[in-house]
Amino acid sequence: MSEKIELNRKQLTLVLANLLTVKMIFAFPRYIFSTSGNAAWIQAIYMTLIAFALLEITLFLYRFTGNKNILQMAESIGGAPLKIIVSLITAVLLAANVGTEIRIFAESVKIILLPMTEIEYIMLLFAVTVAIGSYSGFRSVSTINAIFFPFCLFFLGFMSVVLVKNYNINNLFPIFGKGVEKIFINGLSDLSCFSDIIALNLLLPYCRDLDMVKKSGRSALAVSGAVITLLCLVYGAIYPYPYTSEFFLTTYQLSRMVRAGEYFQRFEALFEFVWAITQLLYSSMYICIICSVLGSAFKLKYKNDLIPCTITIITFLSYEPGSVAALLDSAERINGYLFPAAYILPISIPLLYIVLRRAKHEV
């Protein structure tokens, strides 16, 4: 994000909604069903409430920190060294998020569309496409996202309604699935599905006022929470456990079941289109944010110059797992180790900033 930008409320809300929702649309429900069985929809509601509580804490802190993000506050607290450290931690967290999704997307394309094509070619093509999107700038990508992402939400809603005839409520019993402990204790590890909320803090300097930030943050989290709850409820009502924890692409599996008379029986083709564009926008926005974080840390004048090397490094690292099973296991471990930082940094850095300012009688 080397250009000077100012996001409006619609753009900010839909950017955050995209970043939060993409991983939920594709492979993430599988982890939730593995944890709590067909009570995944209860776990989804539980996680959404916790994510809202953490968001409200960060929004409360913004009253004292203004529109400074954690990188700017880190520089105020500990100068350039602390800013670089916080920036690198943030960049690694973001890269882990987007890197996992790039590989899952490539594997999905290979499984569904191009089974005879080597995974290297698919990842290379996607990396080049993301680079083109990133070079167009964050303003352009966020504007396109504001136009397209509502179609993605409409698609999910339409699919859920059309599949009503396939629902079997008995599949949702026992109501607490694999047990209360699995949902409310073990389920905390799946909070990584909302870890992308850290982007709200990083985008603070590009927002007009804090009131817009609060409304957009709450709206985006509500949208993503509704999406993951709806997907888990629909998926669990159609498939019995343990089948729900076995399919790799949950939403694609649902799209294959949609039938509309004699002439429209390939609804998954529409899913593949929506899925590809949404993933492209997601990855392009993430690359822009990562380059902005690194450029800010090292005070680079031309942050777009980081795009080729950033995409290259992330693509090579995401290629490391040797199989789909290894990829899913790697993604689960990465989420487990890194996702707490997405919640800790936007709370701990502002708290330290406020305490030090109070000590200097600046607040």
Side-chain angles (χ1 to χ4, degrees):
M1 288 187 288
S2 59
E3 77 271 33
K4 296 293 182 181
I5 65 171
E6 182 179 293
L7 299 174
N8 59 40
R9 182 182 170 187
K10 180 181 179 182
Q11 288 174 327
L12 179 61
T13 300
L14 292 176
V15 163
L16 292 172
N18 185 321
L19 296 180
L20 285 165
T21 304
V22 161
K23 68 173 65 173
M24 299 176 187
I25 294 176
F26 303 111
F28 202 88
R30 180 179 181 273
Y31 299 116
I32 304 179
F33 279 97
S34 297
T35 301
S36 55
N38 277 24
W41 65 277
I42 297 178
Q43 184 185 331
I45 295 174
Y46 171 62
M47 293 189 304
T48 302
L49 293 176
I50 294 177
F52 258 110
L54 294 170
L55 176 64
E56 289 302 321
I57 294 173
T58 61
L59 293 178
F60 175 77
L61 294 175
Y62 293 165
R63 293 173 53 190
F64 306 99
T65 61
N67 66 340
K68 287 187 175 181
N69 62 24
I70 54 175
L71 310 181
Q72 294 168 326
M73 285 185 276
E75 187 173 27
S76 298
I77 295 167
L82 183 59
K83 182 180 182 181
I84 291 174
I85 292 172
V86 173
S87 298
L88 291 176
I89 294 173
T90 304
V92 169
L93 174 63
L94 299 177
N97 270 338
V98 72
T100 301
E101 290 304 312
I102 287 175
R103 179 63 187 278
I104 288 175
F105 174 78
E107 291 287 355
S108 305
V109 170
K110 180 175 176 61
I111 293 170
I112 298 170
L113 298 174
L114 303 170
M116 304 303 293
T117 306
E118 296 295 332
I119 189 68
E120 294 91 337
Y121 297 126
I122 298 173
M123 293 183 69
L124 176 61
L125 179 61
F126 186 68
V128 171
T129 309
V130 171
I132 295 171
S134 303
Y135 268 114
S136 69
F138 195 81
R139 182 196 295 275
S140 300
V141 177
S142 60
T143 301
I144 295 171
N145 179 73
I147 297 171
F148 181 82
F149 191 69
F151 288 101
C152 175
L153 298 178
F154 173 79
F155 166 85
L156 293 173
F158 174 78
M159 184 175 66
S160 302
V161 172
V162 171
L163 289 175
V164 166
K165 60 184 179 182
N166 299 97
Y167 295 176
N168 182 355
I169 301 302
N170 291 327
N171 289 338
L172 299 177
F173 292 96
I175 195 68
F176 289 111
K178 296 171 73 173
V180 173
E181 181 180 352
K182 291 285 188 180
I183 296 172
F184 298 107
I185 304 300
N186 296 5
L188 290 174
S189 62
D190 293 323
L191 266 174
S192 58
C193 66
F194 293 109
S195 62
D196 306 79
I197 196 65
I198 192 175
L200 177 62
N201 185 282
L202 299 174
L203 294 172
L204 278 174
Y206 308 101
C207 301
R208 183 177 63 254
D209 55 58
L210 291 178
D211 184 59
M212 184 189 83
V213 170
K214 293 177 181 179
K215 291 178 180 178
S216 293
R218 289 166 181 155
S219 299
L221 191 54
V223 168
S224 60
V227 167
I228 189 63
T229 302
L230 179 65
L231 284 177
C232 289
L233 193 57
V234 171
Y235 193 59
I238 292 177
Y239 291 100
Y241 183 81
Y243 293 108
T244 46
S245 62
E246 293 181 358
F247 292 120
F248 177 47
L249 291 171
T250 52
T251 312
Y252 173 71
Q253 196 67 30
L254 291 175
S255 71
R256 294 183 62 190
M257 301 183 67
V258 175
R259 296 290 185 272
E262 296 277 333
Y263 303 102
F264 189 62
Q265 299 187 11
R266 292 300 304 273
F267 191 72
E268 68 267 23
L270 178 59
F271 167 78
E272 289 155 9
F273 171 74
V274 173
W275 156 57
I277 300 298
T278 305
Q279 183 71 52
L280 175 60
L281 291 169
Y282 169 92
S283 302
S284 297
M285 289 187 291
Y286 247 127
I287 295 299
C288 288
I289 294 174
I290 292 172
C291 291
S292 177
V293 168
L294 295 175
S296 176
F298 298 103
K299 300 186 183 300
L300 301 179
K301 184 177 180 180
Y302 300 106
K303 299 175 185 177
N304 280 352
D305 293 344
L306 294 171
I307 291 175
C309 60
T310 301
I311 292 179
T312 300
I313 292 172
I314 291 175
T315 302
F316 271 112
L317 291 176
S318 66
Y319 181 69
E320 179 61 27
S323 64
V324 174
L327 170 64
L328 295 175
D329 182 61
S330 174
E332 190 170 9
R333 284 188 282 108
I334 287 173
N335 286 332
Y337 291 134
L338 291 181
F339 91 87
Y343 301 109
I344 293 172
L345 287 176
I347 295 176
S348 59
I349 298 294
L351 278 175
L352 186 57
Y353 176 77
I354 293 168
V355 168
L356 292 179
R357 286 190 67 191
R358 285 187 181 276
K360 296 178 181 178
H361 305 289
E362 295 180 7
V363 177

